[in-house]
Amino acid sequence: MQVFGLVGNPVGHSLSPPMHEAAYAEHGLDARYVTFEPDPAALDGAIEGAEALGISGLNVTIPFKQDVLGLVEPDDLAARIGAVNTIDFTGERPTGHNTDAGGALRSLREQGVADLNGATAVVVGAGGAGRAVAFALADAGSTVHVVNRTVERATDLAAAVPGAAGHGLDALGELVPAADVLVNATSVGMDEDATPVPADCLHSDLVVLDAVYSPLETRLLRDAAAAGATTVDGAWMLLYQGAEAFERWTGLEAPIDAMNDALRTNLRGDR
Ligand code: NAP
């Protein structure tokens, strides 16, 4: 049996186990996906132990995405983002990857905008998700504006992302009307009816991705839909980051429909 899992703290409400196990069932794989909550001080030992025990792959979430960077061999994208969310133990040495980046791109491409090359994108947030999305969009050929509550984090990130500029939240009223793509990569809207983006700057030519997936229909997405924009909820990003990890670990094509069904069933809590 192959073992995969998630390392984070807390991981109790993670949607990754049902999503990945749906993929194993679809492919008839003898595999399990389990969650681990190591003490932060024991992270090095946890990763070494996982390798020694023959675990095939781990996803990594808050608060460990930055810390595992030094414990594995990161690929170029993960090194630039400064965060690893997927460890692959199937090669000679553990390698680190960031599938949040590809997950955001694929969700925009398949659910919203076909061509990101030449697009103008506003990324709100400069934490882990904001960093992944900003690098991903720039790599896809978009011009990226990073907007963040703490302006220094926005300007620091923008300085590392080719062609990007950094701003405070007060720039949204000017930037969003001229944008093709808007991504909320802050935690605003999670378990609360709040949005970081004023509704009156949203417009019908915009594609809006909200990385927040609980609730699925955030206030930002409701405002965006009311403005006639195309909306992409955070479960799509979660789905495609998981699909990319599955494909990397197994070499098999991810069964998107089965994974999506499992994810949305569990998000609705009607398992
Ligand atoms: P993080 O590293 O802690 O960053 C949090 C970000 O939110 C920072 O930019 C922070 O701004 C901003 N923020 C927090 N409270 C705010 C407020 N009241 N007003 C304005 N900005 C505020 O977190 P993260 O890992 O990037 O995650 C951010 C969100 O993305 C979470 O909801 C997470 O669940 C979601 N996410 C989703 C996926 C997916 O696959 N769908 C993947 C990764 C993350 P400051 O810098 O000013 O503090």
Side-chain angles (χ1 to χ4, degrees):
M1 182 179 70
Q2 275 189 293
V3 178
F4 302 92
L6 173 68
V7 179
N9 204 333
V11 289
H13 294 104
S14 172
L15 298 156
S16 291
M19 177 171 70
H20 281 274
E21 293 200 339
Y24 308 151
E26 197 72 10
H27 276 289
L29 292 180
D30 183 16
R32 289 292 312 274
Y33 188 103
V34 289
T35 57
F36 302 100
E37 270 187 12
D39 187 310
L43 183 65
D44 299 28
I47 302 302
E48 268 180 37
E51 185 184 13
L53 288 170
I55 287 176
S56 300
L58 288 175
N59 286 129
V60 183
T61 190
I62 287 173
F64 299 131
K65 286 186 187 183
Q66 285 80 24
D67 296 337
V68 297
L69 198 66
L71 305 176
V72 298
E73 202 169 287
D75 67 12
D76 172 66
L77 180 62
R80 284 187 292 141
I81 293 169
V84 162
N85 82 328
T86 300
I87 304 174
D88 184 359
F89 292 105
T90 61
E92 279 199 356
R93 283 209 297 275
T95 54
H97 312 274
N98 191 308
T99 68
D100 287 335
L105 285 190
R106 196 166 164 194
S107 62
L108 282 168
R109 286 192 175 120
E110 299 205 9
Q111 308 303 322
V113 60
D115 192 5
L116 292 162
N117 192 15
T120 298
V122 174
V123 178
V124 192
R131 291 187 66 85
V133 173
F135 278 102
L137 286 170
D139 284 0
S142 299
T143 300
V144 177
H145 292 276
V146 180
V147 176
N148 197 49
R149 176 178 62 179
T150 309
V151 187
E152 297 72 40
R153 285 186 91 191
T155 49
D156 285 356
L157 173 54
V161 174
H167 314 262
L169 290 173
D170 56 358
L172 284 168
E174 198 177 315
L175 293 172
V176 176
D180 305 300
V181 175
L182 170 69
V183 180
N184 175 37
T186 74
S187 46
V188 179
M190 193 163 67
D191 301 320
E192 55 170 352
D193 194 36
T195 172
V197 182
D200 60 3
C201 62
L202 301 166
H203 57 88
S204 59
D205 293 331
L206 200 57
V207 176
V208 181
L209 165 64
D210 200 332
V212 171
Y213 51 81
S214 179
L216 264 181
E217 194 186 70
T218 58
R219 180 156 163 202
L220 172 60
L221 293 187
R222 281 204 319 275
D223 291 346
T230 302
T231 59
V232 184
D233 67 48
W236 292 112
M237 178 172 164
L238 190 62
L239 169 69
Y240 290 122
Q241 66 75 29
E244 187 180 321
F246 173 86
E247 289 177 350
R248 174 171 293 282
W249 291 329
T250 66
L252 298 168
E253 192 177 332
I256 294 295
D257 289 346
M259 294 175 82
N260 191 34
D261 284 351
L263 180 58
R264 286 177 190 271
T265 298
N266 282 273
L267 264 172
R268 290 194 306 265
D270 57 5
R271 177 162 38 160

